[in-house]
Amino acid sequence: AYGDSYGFWGLFIVVPELRGRRIGSLLARTTIAGLQARLAPGAAIELDGVPDQQDYYRSLGFAYGHRDVRMRGTADTETPEHEVVPLSSLPFEQVVAYDAAVFGTARPDFLARWITRPDGVAVGVVDGGRLTGIGAVRRCVDGAKIGPLFADDDATAESLYRALARSEEHTSELQS
């Protein structure tokens, strides 16, 4: 729950050997009830799910909103166009305000953890004293995952992406 007006439920998957035992249904209904208890009446709850389960999510009351795209490949690690700085070097309130404007609600607890992850790097672009983009990368089982990444324009997004892709090779340059 982010405040009392928005809840987000990350991807949930029941391992294949336990499917068909109604574990997913119990997990789903318990999670939804828990979020509803923490949120104001009528608050939005979103779910990150898999395409094959769209009919099931609809049966829980969810409607398709947008698609997450996950890609795998070799990253473009050319030098970023914009100067990219560690988010930890910026006033935390500025980071929270930027994220809230893009995400739709303030989530300071989430951001505090993302900025200080020991297995990740969080960066931003400041232009004319104004934060114009933020992004993070974290290690995963194989390689790294970039996200969240929010930017005011394509060039800033590209700079953030390149800096995050380079962070595996140049971690000390990006961490404070």
mmCIF file of all heavy atoms in Angstrom, residues 12-37:
data_model
loop_
_atom_site.group_PDB
_atom_site.id
_atom_site.type_symbol
_atom_site.label_atom_id
_atom_site.label_comp_id
_atom_site.label_asym_id
_atom_site.label_seq_id
_atom_site.Cartn_x
_atom_site.Cartn_y
_atom_site.Cartn_z
ATOM 1 N N PHE A 12 2.887 -12.536 -8.895
ATOM 2 C CA PHE A 12 2.805 -13.725 -8.051
ATOM 3 C C PHE A 12 2.719 -14.960 -8.920
ATOM 4 O O PHE A 12 2.012 -14.981 -9.923
ATOM 5 C CB PHE A 12 1.646 -13.628 -7.046
ATOM 6 C CG PHE A 12 0.281 -13.992 -7.579
ATOM 7 C CD1 PHE A 12 -0.258 -15.237 -7.312
ATOM 8 C CD2 PHE A 12 -0.463 -13.095 -8.318
ATOM 9 C CE1 PHE A 12 -1.522 -15.581 -7.783
ATOM 10 C CE2 PHE A 12 -1.726 -13.426 -8.788
ATOM 11 C CZ PHE A 12 -2.256 -14.675 -8.518
ATOM 12 N N ILE A 13 3.486 -15.961 -8.546
ATOM 13 C CA ILE A 13 3.529 -17.200 -9.320
ATOM 14 C C ILE A 13 3.548 -18.361 -8.335
ATOM 15 O O ILE A 13 4.330 -18.369 -7.384
ATOM 16 C CB ILE A 13 4.794 -17.277 -10.201
ATOM 17 C CG1 ILE A 13 4.821 -16.125 -11.204
ATOM 18 C CG2 ILE A 13 4.872 -18.621 -10.911
ATOM 19 C CD1 ILE A 13 6.096 -16.044 -12.030
ATOM 20 N N VAL A 14 2.688 -19.327 -8.553
ATOM 21 C CA VAL A 14 2.708 -20.566 -7.784
ATOM 22 C C VAL A 14 3.576 -21.551 -8.569
ATOM 23 O O VAL A 14 3.371 -21.745 -9.767
ATOM 24 C CB VAL A 14 1.279 -21.121 -7.578
ATOM 25 C CG1 VAL A 14 1.320 -22.456 -6.844
ATOM 26 C CG2 VAL A 14 0.425 -20.105 -6.805
ATOM 27 N N VAL A 15 4.528 -22.163 -7.893
ATOM 28 C CA VAL A 15 5.422 -23.098 -8.578
ATOM 29 C C VAL A 15 4.603 -24.238 -9.183
ATOM 30 O O VAL A 15 3.574 -24.641 -8.627
ATOM 31 C CB VAL A 15 6.519 -23.646 -7.638
ATOM 32 C CG1 VAL A 15 7.468 -22.534 -7.205
ATOM 33 C CG2 VAL A 15 5.938 -24.338 -6.436
ATOM 34 N N PRO A 16 5.026 -24.724 -10.339
ATOM 35 C CA PRO A 16 4.223 -25.716 -11.073
ATOM 36 C C PRO A 16 3.784 -26.922 -10.240
ATOM 37 O O PRO A 16 2.634 -27.359 -10.356
ATOM 38 C CB PRO A 16 5.151 -26.141 -12.215
ATOM 39 C CG PRO A 16 6.016 -24.947 -12.450
ATOM 40 C CD PRO A 16 6.228 -24.349 -11.079
ATOM 41 N N GLU A 17 4.640 -27.429 -9.400
ATOM 42 C CA GLU A 17 4.266 -28.636 -8.640
ATOM 43 C C GLU A 17 3.184 -28.395 -7.592
ATOM 44 O O GLU A 17 2.597 -29.341 -7.066
ATOM 45 C CB GLU A 17 5.509 -29.298 -8.006
ATOM 46 C CG GLU A 17 6.287 -28.424 -7.054
ATOM 47 C CD GLU A 17 7.401 -27.619 -7.729
ATOM 48 O OE1 GLU A 17 7.386 -27.453 -8.972
ATOM 49 O OE2 GLU A 17 8.272 -27.145 -6.992
ATOM 50 N N LEU A 18 2.868 -27.132 -7.285
ATOM 51 C CA LEU A 18 1.814 -26.825 -6.313
ATOM 52 C C LEU A 18 0.556 -26.250 -6.951
ATOM 53 O O LEU A 18 -0.409 -25.930 -6.254
ATOM 54 C CB LEU A 18 2.345 -25.863 -5.244
ATOM 55 C CG LEU A 18 3.480 -26.391 -4.366
ATOM 56 C CD1 LEU A 18 3.943 -25.328 -3.395
ATOM 57 C CD2 LEU A 18 3.055 -27.654 -3.633
ATOM 58 N N ARG A 19 0.547 -26.108 -8.263
ATOM 59 C CA ARG A 19 -0.623 -25.567 -8.948
ATOM 60 C C ARG A 19 -1.776 -26.565 -8.899
ATOM 61 O O ARG A 19 -1.577 -27.763 -8.759
ATOM 62 C CB ARG A 19 -0.274 -25.225 -10.390
ATOM 63 C CG ARG A 19 0.681 -24.056 -10.458
ATOM 64 C CD ARG A 19 1.060 -23.685 -11.851
ATOM 65 N NE ARG A 19 2.092 -22.654 -11.791
ATOM 66 C CZ ARG A 19 2.939 -22.395 -12.761
ATOM 67 N NH1 ARG A 19 2.871 -23.068 -13.903
ATOM 68 N NH2 ARG A 19 3.840 -21.465 -12.620
ATOM 69 N N GLY A 20 -2.992 -26.022 -9.016
ATOM 70 C CA GLY A 20 -4.183 -26.867 -9.005
ATOM 71 C C GLY A 20 -4.675 -27.179 -7.599
ATOM 72 O O GLY A 20 -5.635 -27.927 -7.431
ATOM 73 N N ARG A 21 -4.069 -26.584 -6.587
ATOM 74 C CA ARG A 21 -4.468 -26.824 -5.192
ATOM 75 C C ARG A 21 -5.161 -25.616 -4.584
ATOM 76 O O ARG A 21 -5.327 -25.533 -3.386
ATOM 77 C CB ARG A 21 -3.242 -27.173 -4.348
ATOM 78 C CG ARG A 21 -2.534 -28.421 -4.808
ATOM 79 C CD ARG A 21 -1.386 -28.730 -3.893
ATOM 80 N NE ARG A 21 -0.582 -29.824 -4.406
ATOM 81 C CZ ARG A 21 0.489 -30.300 -3.802
ATOM 82 N NH1 ARG A 21 0.887 -29.771 -2.670
ATOM 83 N NH2 ARG A 21 1.160 -31.290 -4.337
ATOM 84 N N ARG A 22 -5.500 -24.635 -5.417
ATOM 85 C CA ARG A 22 -6.194 -23.414 -5.000
ATOM 86 C C ARG A 22 -5.302 -22.497 -4.148
ATOM 87 O O ARG A 22 -5.790 -21.568 -3.511
ATOM 88 C CB ARG A 22 -7.506 -23.722 -4.287
ATOM 89 C CG ARG A 22 -8.349 -24.705 -5.088
ATOM 90 C CD ARG A 22 -9.799 -24.477 -5.252
ATOM 91 N NE ARG A 22 -10.384 -23.202 -5.084
ATOM 92 C CZ ARG A 22 -10.718 -22.373 -6.096
ATOM 93 N NH1 ARG A 22 -10.475 -22.719 -7.322
ATOM 94 N NH2 ARG A 22 -11.317 -21.246 -5.864
ATOM 95 N N ILE A 23 -3.995 -22.741 -4.148
ATOM 96 C CA ILE A 23 -3.059 -21.886 -3.418
ATOM 97 C C ILE A 23 -3.062 -20.480 -4.003
ATOM 98 O O ILE A 23 -3.093 -19.488 -3.273
ATOM 99 C CB ILE A 23 -1.636 -22.493 -3.431
ATOM 100 C CG1 ILE A 23 -1.627 -23.787 -2.625
ATOM 101 C CG2 ILE A 23 -0.607 -21.509 -2.891
ATOM 102 C CD1 ILE A 23 -0.368 -24.605 -2.768
ATOM 103 N N GLY A 24 -3.058 -20.371 -5.347
ATOM 104 C CA GLY A 24 -3.084 -19.068 -5.998
ATOM 105 C C GLY A 24 -4.340 -18.287 -5.663
ATOM 106 O O GLY A 24 -4.283 -17.094 -5.381
ATOM 107 N N SER A 25 -5.489 -18.969 -5.647
ATOM 108 C CA SER A 25 -6.751 -18.291 -5.313
ATOM 109 C C SER A 25 -6.740 -17.789 -3.881
ATOM 110 O O SER A 25 -7.162 -16.656 -3.605
ATOM 111 C CB SER A 25 -7.926 -19.249 -5.516
ATOM 112 O OG SER A 25 -8.063 -19.557 -6.874
ATOM 113 N N LEU A 26 -6.263 -18.615 -2.965
ATOM 114 C CA LEU A 26 -6.193 -18.199 -1.558
ATOM 115 C C LEU A 26 -5.225 -17.031 -1.396
ATOM 116 O O LEU A 26 -5.537 -16.048 -0.708
ATOM 117 C CB LEU A 26 -5.776 -19.377 -0.677
ATOM 118 C CG LEU A 26 -5.649 -19.081 0.810
ATOM 119 C CD1 LEU A 26 -6.978 -18.614 1.391
ATOM 120 C CD2 LEU A 26 -5.159 -20.321 1.547
ATOM 121 N N LEU A 27 -4.061 -17.121 -2.041
ATOM 122 C CA LEU A 27 -3.087 -16.036 -1.988
ATOM 123 C C LEU A 27 -3.678 -14.751 -2.554
ATOM 124 O O LEU A 27 -3.559 -13.677 -1.955
ATOM 125 C CB LEU A 27 -1.829 -16.431 -2.766
ATOM 126 C CG LEU A 27 -0.743 -15.374 -2.892
ATOM 127 C CD1 LEU A 27 -0.189 -14.977 -1.534
ATOM 128 C CD2 LEU A 27 0.375 -15.881 -3.797
ATOM 129 N N ALA A 28 -4.336 -14.849 -3.699
ATOM 130 C CA ALA A 28 -4.914 -13.668 -4.343
ATOM 131 C C ALA A 28 -5.969 -13.015 -3.466
ATOM 132 O O ALA A 28 -5.929 -11.811 -3.210
ATOM 133 C CB ALA A 28 -5.519 -14.061 -5.694
ATOM 134 N N ARG A 29 -6.913 -13.798 -3.000
ATOM 135 C CA ARG A 29 -8.014 -13.220 -2.203
ATOM 136 C C ARG A 29 -7.511 -12.662 -0.867
ATOM 137 O O ARG A 29 -7.990 -11.627 -0.404
ATOM 138 C CB ARG A 29 -9.113 -14.248 -2.019
ATOM 139 C CG ARG A 29 -9.747 -14.585 -3.370
ATOM 140 C CD ARG A 29 -10.936 -15.511 -3.293
ATOM 141 N NE ARG A 29 -11.294 -16.047 -4.594
ATOM 142 C CZ ARG A 29 -11.772 -15.362 -5.618
ATOM 143 N NH1 ARG A 29 -11.960 -14.070 -5.513
ATOM 144 N NH2 ARG A 29 -12.077 -15.939 -6.760
ATOM 145 N N THR A 30 -6.540 -13.320 -0.248
ATOM 146 C CA THR A 30 -5.976 -12.834 1.010
ATOM 147 C C THR A 30 -5.210 -11.536 0.792
ATOM 148 O O THR A 30 -5.332 -10.588 1.578
ATOM 149 C CB THR A 30 -5.056 -13.907 1.636
ATOM 150 O OG1 THR A 30 -5.818 -15.096 1.844
ATOM 151 C CG2 THR A 30 -4.465 -13.425 2.944
ATOM 152 N N THR A 31 -4.443 -11.468 -0.288
ATOM 153 C CA THR A 31 -3.671 -10.258 -0.593
ATOM 154 C C THR A 31 -4.596 -9.082 -0.898
ATOM 155 O O THR A 31 -4.396 -7.974 -0.394
ATOM 156 C CB THR A 31 -2.716 -10.510 -1.771
ATOM 157 O OG1 THR A 31 -1.838 -11.585 -1.422
ATOM 158 C CG2 THR A 31 -1.910 -9.277 -2.109
ATOM 159 N N ILE A 32 -5.614 -9.317 -1.708
ATOM 160 C CA ILE A 32 -6.566 -8.249 -2.051
ATOM 161 C C ILE A 32 -7.279 -7.758 -0.796
ATOM 162 O O ILE A 32 -7.396 -6.550 -0.569
ATOM 163 C CB ILE A 32 -7.563 -8.734 -3.121
ATOM 164 C CG1 ILE A 32 -6.837 -8.982 -4.444
ATOM 165 C CG2 ILE A 32 -8.695 -7.726 -3.302
ATOM 166 C CD1 ILE A 32 -7.642 -9.773 -5.455
ATOM 167 N N ALA A 33 -7.733 -8.674 0.053
ATOM 168 C CA ALA A 33 -8.424 -8.282 1.292
ATOM 169 C C ALA A 33 -7.489 -7.489 2.197
ATOM 170 O O ALA A 33 -7.902 -6.495 2.811
ATOM 171 C CB ALA A 33 -8.954 -9.521 2.013
ATOM 172 N N GLY A 34 -6.233 -7.898 2.277
ATOM 173 C CA GLY A 34 -5.262 -7.175 3.107
ATOM 174 C C GLY A 34 -5.022 -5.763 2.596
ATOM 175 O O GLY A 34 -4.954 -4.816 3.387
ATOM 176 N N LEU A 35 -4.906 -5.614 1.287
ATOM 177 C CA LEU A 35 -4.731 -4.277 0.724
ATOM 178 C C LEU A 35 -5.978 -3.428 0.940
ATOM 179 O O LEU A 35 -5.886 -2.255 1.317
ATOM 180 C CB LEU A 35 -4.403 -4.361 -0.769
ATOM 181 C CG LEU A 35 -2.957 -4.653 -1.124
ATOM 182 C CD1 LEU A 35 -2.805 -4.947 -2.614
ATOM 183 C CD2 LEU A 35 -2.052 -3.505 -0.717
ATOM 184 N N GLN A 36 -7.145 -4.003 0.707
ATOM 185 C CA GLN A 36 -8.392 -3.243 0.901
ATOM 186 C C GLN A 36 -8.528 -2.773 2.344
ATOM 187 O O GLN A 36 -9.031 -1.681 2.589
ATOM 188 C CB GLN A 36 -9.586 -4.084 0.482
ATOM 189 C CG GLN A 36 -9.682 -4.232 -1.023
ATOM 190 C CD GLN A 36 -10.754 -5.210 -1.463
ATOM 191 O OE1 GLN A 36 -11.082 -6.151 -0.764
ATOM 192 N NE2 GLN A 36 -11.281 -4.988 -2.668
ATOM 193 N N ALA A 37 -8.062 -3.564 3.294
ATOM 194 C CA ALA A 37 -8.143 -3.177 4.708
ATOM 195 C C ALA A 37 -7.218 -2.005 5.024
ATOM 196 O O ALA A 37 -7.496 -1.228 5.938
ATOM 197 C CB ALA A 37 -7.802 -4.375 5.595
#
